[in-house]
Amino acid sequence: MPPQTLRAFVAVQFSSELRRRLADAIAQLPRFAPDRSVQWVKADNIHLTLKFLGDVPANDVARIGDALTIGVRSIAPFEFTVVGLGCFPDTRRPRVVWAGIEDDGAQKMMTLQSAVEAALNLLGYPPEDRPFSPHITLGRVRRETRPPDAALVGKAVAAQPVSRWGTEKVDAVYLMKSELRPGGSVYTPLHAAKLGDTTR
């Protein structure tokens, strides 16, 4: 029998207050975007992904958790500020709607992500091909959305005022399990690796 697997990723988790503010921002956008053109992220699921692992063996979870703990313990906790909205690849051809990270926090987030990549590369999880760009995914344009409707989504995002959504402290990264259920994705933390933890 093949080994049991689970879908996993590594993320920074947010306070309920920041998730609420970002959910409020999401709630404004469907008024300007074509109906059902975007799959918006539920408030409880808003996070910042550092590394997507895909399907991993269930018996590898402990090793991944230990590697993360060792990999991030030399990085001091830090703060970052969430500011503004944007789209990947751009507002004319949007596929992803995101909230951004202010420069200083973005640089620290990139250092943290590099540490995560290095730690997991030792376990055989190769680094991402694309450079890491710190952002918070708020929605994904549906594949079936027509290009003119997608462009309207980008126009709606570009029209929003630049807002600061809040400042958060990062003191841990989380190994998360992702399960696709009829009501949408459900994320469950499997391991918390604390930053600056020199006790191990």
Side-chain angles (χ1 to χ4, degrees), residues 111-127:
T111 299
L112 176 60
Q113 194 269 348
S114 293
V116 168
E117 286 279 28
L120 298 185
N121 191 31
L122 295 175
L123 298 185
Y125 295 95

Side-chain angles (χ1 to χ4, degrees), residues 50-51 108-118 128 132:
L50 295 172
K51 183 171 180 63
K108 292 175 180 176
M109 198 71 73
M110 291 171 72
T111 299
L112 176 60
Q113 194 269 348
S114 293
V116 168
E117 286 279 28
E128 297 287 340
F132 176 66

